[in-house]
Amino acid sequence: MAEKTKEITEEETAPKSGLQALRSERTRAALLAAAEKIFARDGFEASRIEDIAAEAGRSRGAFYANFLNKTDVFLELRARAMQKRAREIRMRLSRASDEAARTAAVNLHIIEQICDTQSLLLQIEFKLFALRHPEMLAELAEKHLEASTRVHEQELSEYFSHLSDVEPMRRKTLAIEALLEGFALNALFSPQILDRQYLETLMPGLLGEVLPTP
Amino acid sequence: MAEKTKEITEEETAPKSGLQALRSERTRAALLAAAEKIFARDGFEASRIEDIAAEAGRSRGAFYANFLNKTDVFLELRARAMQKRAREIRMRLSRASDEAARTAAVNLHIIEQICDTQSLLLQIEFKLFALRHPEMLAELAEKHLEASTRVHEQELSEYFSHLSDVEPMRRKTLAIEALLEGFALNALFSPQILDRQYLETLMPGLLGEVLPTP
Amino acid sequence: MAEKTKEITEEETAPKSGLQALRSERTRAALLAAAEKIFARDGFEASRIEDIAAEAGRSRGAFYANFLNKTDVFLELRARAMQKRAREIRMRLSRASDEAARTAAVNLHIIEQICDTQSLLLQIEFKLFALRHPEMLAELAEKHLEASTRVHEQELSEYFSHLSDVEPMRRKTLAIEALLEGFALNALFSPQILDRQYLETLMPGLLGEVLPTP
Amino acid sequence: MAEKTKEITEEETAPKSGLQALRSERTRAALLAAAEKIFARDGFEASRIEDIAAEAGRSRGAFYANFLNKTDVFLELRARAMQKRAREIRMRLSRASDEAARTAAVNLHIIEQICDTQSLLLQIEFKLFALRHPEMLAELAEKHLEASTRVHEQELSEYFSHLSDVEPMRRKTLAIEALLEGFALNALFSPQILDRQYLETLMPGLLGEVLPTP
DNA sequence: TATGAATGAGAGTTCATTCAT
DNA sequence: AATGAATGAACTCTCATTCAT
């Protein structure tokens, strides 16, 4: 999927004004933003291409000029969400001066994620989608994990001497995702019971069980 | 969906021949079993009434004679699953002689749940469904929690002296569901990474964080 | 295609009233008749399922309950047309007493075909369709020829002693189809030029070139 | 389709740089060649403007700058094919010294046509198209016949003394087209049955029935 | 109660055509 | 003249649900 990326405008053809490319980029961005909104509101399955296009102020045709299908945008959005997450933690770690600051940065990163419930909900739907499409499962899981742990593998390890192996890293990452997803889902499902305060009380201990505290 | 509440025409119930009632009950049971199987295989959204009816060896008409719609069976199945769970733990507790045995029973109960990934997946879908239907959310959440904690409220408290309040009980129940759902989803998503052994290592500590260990 | 034929109502199930089966048969017949009309009017490619359904006074859903897709009805109609043709010639031959009468019957058969221009037009479209779908071509051609020559192979040969081999028979059949199709197309294309009278003058000689005149 | 007649803006033709005109002409030629190829491969209906443009190495826009629509190119291509055919036979006749040579030239001309099955297929599609657009039928038929017989009318008659009237000429032309189209279609449909050898055996006699053999 | 034919809204998708550049 | 992004109508097909039996 998503092989149909914009062909980079070769210089040997007409000047092409650059304005078209801009217009194109805007449309794509508008569609992605709209898709994110609609997916968050209606869920992946129930979302309609028409609604996404309308939300972006474009036509269904514009959608299909930019994406292969609903799955394609969904996966692209997921990938972008992961990239954004990676960028954030990377920036935070680079600003932290000592190991204590770095640990705090990681904790903050996790805490903030649990607040972004919409995104976690979509992540749950993404994983359900993968489970319901066994032929894609392995590839999607690998891509997801790769994106999800890249930051850890490449950068965490240089900050935290006791975090070195990749496999344990992936395990920890997935375990934390499990925690975040499970609590996000249930916090939305029953906000009065699983309230913010209780979560704040509970999470540190749970995270401590997963993350090594040297 | 399913805004119409089931209007059970009670006055017509009396004169039925007993044999008809049996036949009817069998159809209903067959459809429920079939629905459970199809839901587990395809997920709620992707499941087709036709497939459920066929799996039960009945027709679409039989389905609609017994249920209001797809949502209706789904919710009924969820309710039954909860009842079954309650029955199990109740039986186990009644057999346990001392507090240690009872604690062991509870732990076993939780452990067995995490193995029933299909059911947990459906529980996730159920909660997502509730979130996507805000007008039903409160009612569904209340029903679910009520069913989920009934056993705890009514019975656990008489076995475990330190478990008394209802609110904390509901919190703990939901927190454990969050753990189970999160790990079930991710264990299915990436079985090589989140393998059984790692789960077995991790879960006791996580559960310990949620459950009070007096 | 067309594997989805009506399942024969088994006796072990409910009485099923026979009325449903009748209704079903009527719908199917209505759709076939409608399809024939629409195909003749608009051509295969330009025909819309919706128009066929509307012409039959049914819904699109009814169409898809009875046929796999547009191609499916088209091929079924072609097959029926061939069967009808076979029935006609068979009846005529059985009524003819001597070889002269039989030859006259065959000639009449051919002459009448050229008048059924709508059917010949559809036959042209059918062959174009086959040519544009190479993966089906061999099968479609074989089926068509088989149907087209069955009558000849099985029955003509017993009436006409000099018509014996199958291969020459198929050749003659196709050659006559070529003549009929070519002239039907052009007679419709330019009726003033290729008028009925000219055709009647020309055809006997052309047919004589193809058919052996012992 | 194509109801709008091409409004060739003649007043703008003057000042163009000559180089532009050449470039323009090249584009048009490239598009025509591409269209011919794509039409032959996919058929008129199934051919996509995008494929034609891509085959020509141009854009959809270039296509619409040069042609009104798909029908427009199709008709233009047909017209060109007819012109080419006329040119060929004209040249051949001019080279033939006596009536025998001329007859041979005509026969060769016909024989060569039957080999150009792709072109004949398109001619069939053209005629079907005309039949499906009754409002254009008369005009298209007249144009086609005019082009198809021009050579005959204007030139054959001066070579063959016994060919004089126009009406019979048009009849013969159409009759031969009927033969060629019918056999081309069926030879492609079932090449094993209607093989080259059989055609070569059959055609002379058939042509003899249509053409006067003085 | 149960059947299954029929409905019909609506999904995803394609593509001839338009239009700002 | 040429580009190609965008339009939007039209298509095929699916499926939850209804309804005559």
Side-chain angles (χ1 to χ4, degrees), chain D residues 100-119:
Chain D
R102 280 176 226 127
T103 306
V106 170
N107 283 334
L108 182 61
H109 184 236
I110 293 170
I111 292 298
E112 282 192 356
Q113 273 183 69
I114 205 171
C115 296
D116 186 5
T117 44
Q118 290 298 16
S119 188

Side-chain angles (χ1 to χ4, degrees), chain D residues 61-132:
Chain D
F63 180 92
Y64 281 98
N66 281 280
F67 304 99
L68 285 176
N69 49 37
K70 197 162 74 153
T71 305
D72 189 32
V73 225
F74 185 55
L75 298 185
E76 166 124 14
L77 275 176
R78 292 314 314 150
R80 288 186 173 228
M82 312 246 64
Q83 283 162 21
K84 194 179 151 212
R85 223 144 88 186
R87 243 180 289 125
E88 282 168 8
I89 182 66
R90 208 173 293 148
M91 185 171 308
R92 274 178 179 144
L93 284 174
S94 70
R95 282 181 192 152
S97 50
D98 58 6
E99 183 135 343
R102 280 176 226 127
T103 306
V106 170
N107 283 334
L108 182 61
H109 184 236
I110 293 170
I111 292 298
E112 282 192 356
Q113 273 183 69
I114 205 171
C115 296
D116 186 5
T117 44
Q118 290 298 16
S119 188
L120 283 169
L121 231 48
L122 287 180
Q123 188 162 293
I124 293 174
E125 287 201 293
F126 163 73
K127 289 178 181 174
L128 282 173
F129 173 85
L131 290 179
R132 297 308 183 193

Side-chain angles (χ1 to χ4, degrees), chain B residues 153-208:
Chain B
E153 290 167 12
Q154 297 181 353
E155 294 165 52
L156 285 197
S157 56
E158 65 183 68
Y159 288 115
F160 298 90
S161 52
H162 59 287
L163 298 175
S164 48
D165 285 348
V166 166
E167 272 310 294
M169 190 73 65
R170 291 196 156 199
R171 276 188 182 163
K172 277 156 201 146
T173 305
L174 259 195
I176 291 191
E177 286 187 6
L179 285 177
L180 293 174
E181 288 159 18
F183 279 94
L185 178 63
N186 283 279
L188 286 171
F189 179 66
S190 203
Q192 289 85 22
I193 308 298
L194 230 55
D195 59 21
R196 200 180 164 74
Q197 196 201 321
Y198 180 56
L199 286 182
E200 282 175 4
T201 315
L202 204 56
M203 288 310 289
L206 292 171
L207 292 174

Side-chain angles (χ1 to χ4, degrees), chain A residues 39-46 118 121-128 130-132 137 140-142 144-145 167-168 170-172 174-179 181-195 197-198 202 204-207 209-210, chain B residues 39-46 118 121-128 130-132 137 140-142 144-145 167-168 170-172 174-179 181-195 197-198 202 204-207 209-210:
Chain A
F39 282 150
R41 190 188 68 191
D42 298 344
F44 171 67
E45 295 265 22
Q118 289 299 15
L121 231 47
L122 287 179
Q123 188 162 293
I124 293 174
E125 287 204 292
F126 164 72
K127 289 178 180 174
L128 282 174
L131 290 179
R132 298 306 186 192
L137 177 54
L140 289 177
E142 175 54 31
H144 174 82
L145 269 171
E167 271 308 295
R170 292 195 154 201
R171 276 188 181 165
K172 278 157 200 147
L174 257 195
I176 291 188
E177 287 186 5
L179 286 176
E181 287 159 18
F183 279 95
L185 177 63
N186 284 279
L188 286 171
F189 179 66
S190 204
Q192 289 83 24
I193 309 299
L194 229 53
D195 59 21
Q197 198 202 318
Y198 180 55
L202 205 55
L206 293 171
L207 292 175
E209 290 290 324
V210 174
Chain B
F39 283 149
R41 191 189 67 192
D42 298 343
F44 171 66
E45 294 265 22
Q118 291 297 15
L121 230 47
L122 287 179
Q123 188 162 293
I124 293 174
E125 288 202 291
F126 163 73
K127 288 178 181 175
L128 281 173
L131 290 179
R132 298 308 183 193
L137 178 54
L140 289 177
E142 175 55 30
H144 174 82
L145 269 172
E167 272 310 294
R170 291 196 156 199
R171 276 188 182 163
K172 277 156 201 146
L174 259 195
I176 291 191
E177 286 187 6
L179 285 177
E181 288 159 18
F183 279 94
L185 178 63
N186 283 279
L188 286 171
F189 179 66
S190 203
Q192 289 85 22
I193 308 298
L194 230 55
D195 59 21
Q197 196 201 321
Y198 180 56
L202 204 56
L206 292 171
L207 292 174
E209 291 289 324
V210 174

Side-chain angles (χ1 to χ4, degrees), chain A residues 16 20 23 27 59 61-62:
Chain A
K16 209 161 273 169
Q20 279 226 40
R23 186 188 177 199
T27 294
S59 68

